Amino acid sequence: MKRIISLCLGFVILSAGMISSCSSSNTRKTEETTTLIREREADPDRDEPIHDFSDVDISEDFGVFMADAPDEPWVLANNIPFTSGNVNTHFLQFVTDMANNEISSTILNDVSTIYRPRVRHYAADQEGYTVYEITYVQQFPLSARLDYVIENISTMFNYHDVGFLDYYTGTIYPTFDLSTSINSYSVSGTVVYNGEEYDVSYYVFREDETTTNDIVYDDNNNAIWNLDITLTNTIYFVVPNGYDGIVMYAYTGDNTISSLSEALDMNDNEFHEAEVFDNDINDYAFISIPQLG
């Protein structure tokens, strides 16, 4: 399985060592995103999704997927350990000029935190189906010591996105890679399991918020660029009533790439077909979505 790796690109304009403006090329306007996140948090008892399922950047129909019923659920057969707390993962940051040429710097942090997901349920429009809403926040405390400061400077970071698989079969749900050009997608199709056909669909939305963006100087007069970026990810699964097989997983192993060119090569919207999870379980954290709500 190709690991799901997403690339976020942020531009920051520096003038005489001071930040004058900040925007993000791969997300909606920060002001709009911040407003949406705050509206969601201010209304914890809402009884319908906040996102419009018809408003996504890209879509795919995977057709008909034949799921083999195992003698024992995949999670039990593979002794998958579940966690219900926060999960730390690694990312790679690169400091560049506006032409994507890497600038000499020392990256001071490579650990992000995925906070415990929040799960809600809604009645689907289709009779006999339920909408699972899974919201999780991932925080990136970016920090780099700059060997020198130029007028225009930018940074990008590469991280492993989370994935979802089926508790019973170990099948990874088909998905797109998020990139700098898309922040949402939908996938739908028909699953045949034990001779029964089920319509299955899900929707992914990513939003960003920058809470810190400044340069400070240490005791040796080195410029330290600090950026705190929060990604709020919302996933909606439309599944048959009673289905309890959604498992979220996050890659916690070492970084799998090391260069800026590799990161840029991965900046696409590649679609991945469904397949059975066959990676090293020790490199992942697993979360049972039904156990959370």
Side-chain angles (χ1 to χ4, degrees), residues 207-228:
E207 302 140 324
D208 78 304
E209 182 178 11
T210 301
T211 55
T212 300
N213 186 355
D214 58 22
I215 286 185
V216 297
Y217 290 85
D218 64 16
D219 294 340
N220 296 317
N221 206 34
N222 296 310
I224 310 296
W225 186 13
N226 295 313
L227 274 164
D228 284 328

Side-chain angles (χ1 to χ4, degrees), residues 190-246:
T190 300
V191 174
V192 179
Y193 184 75
N194 278 338
E196 299 289 335
E197 292 188 0
Y198 304 97
D199 296 326
V200 175
S201 58
Y202 63 95
Y203 308 83
V204 175
F205 298 88
R206 179 181 65 181
E207 302 140 324
D208 78 304
E209 182 178 11
T210 301
T211 55
T212 300
N213 186 355
D214 58 22
I215 286 185
V216 297
Y217 290 85
D218 64 16
D219 294 340
N220 296 317
N221 206 34
N222 296 310
I224 310 296
W225 186 13
N226 295 313
L227 274 164
D228 284 328
I229 297 177
T230 299
L231 301 184
T232 299
N233 303 271
T234 308
I235 301 94
Y236 298 93
F237 286 90
V238 183
V239 294
N241 291 343
Y243 174 67
D244 60 356
I246 302 175

Side-chain angles (χ1 to χ4, degrees), residues 31-218:
E31 181 179 353
E32 295 176 354
T33 300
T34 302
T35 299
L36 182 60
I37 293 172
R38 287 175 178 171
E39 285 178 352
R40 180 188 300 113
E41 297 304 320
D43 186 15
D45 296 323
R46 59 187 167 83
D47 58 1
E48 62 181 9
I50 198 171
H51 292 91
D52 181 354
F53 290 176
S54 66
D55 184 18
V56 293
D57 296 326
I58 193 169
S59 300
E60 181 72 20
D61 186 333
F62 60 79
V64 177
F65 180 78
M66 307 295 293
D68 295 329
D71 295 332
E72 182 180 21
W74 180 87
V75 164
L76 299 180
N78 289 274
N79 296 314
I80 299 298
F82 284 141
T83 180
S84 59
N86 301 334
V87 175
N88 288 333
T89 67
H90 296 281
F91 66 91
L92 283 177
Q93 180 187 359
F94 305 94
V95 179
T96 70
D97 61 20
M98 301 305 286
N100 287 340
N101 299 308
E102 196 164 1
I103 295 173
S104 179
S105 62
T106 301
I107 303 303
L108 303 178
N109 178 56
D110 71 344
V111 177
S112 70
T113 300
I114 298 173
Y115 292 95
R116 175 188 170 104
R118 182 171 57 190
V119 180
R120 290 187 173 127
H121 305 268
Y122 310 109
D125 292 337
Q126 184 177 0
E127 185 177 355
Y129 283 76
T130 297
V131 177
Y132 268 91
E133 179 187 88
I134 304 162
T135 303
Y136 72 93
V137 169
Q138 186 166 5
Q139 186 173 20
F140 295 86
L142 279 65
S143 184
R145 183 171 65 244
L146 308 177
D147 291 347
Y148 54 89
V149 178
I150 62 176
E151 182 178 356
N152 297 313
I153 193 171
S154 67
T155 189
M156 58 178 60
F157 60 99
N158 178 285
Y159 68 98
H160 292 258
D161 201 0
V162 307
F164 292 88
L165 58 81
D166 175 65
Y167 177 98
Y168 299 97
T169 65
T171 303
I172 298 171
Y173 300 123
T175 186
F176 283 99
D177 286 344
L178 291 172
S179 70
T180 58
S181 62
I182 67 167
N183 283 294
S184 61
Y185 64 84
S186 67
V187 177
S188 59
T190 300
V191 174
V192 179
Y193 184 75
N194 278 338
E196 299 289 335
E197 292 188 0
Y198 304 97
D199 296 326
V200 175
S201 58
Y202 63 95
Y203 308 83
V204 175
F205 298 88
R206 179 181 65 181
E207 302 140 324
D208 78 304
E209 182 178 11
T210 301
T211 55
T212 300
N213 186 355
D214 58 22
I215 286 185
V216 297
Y217 290 85
D218 64 16

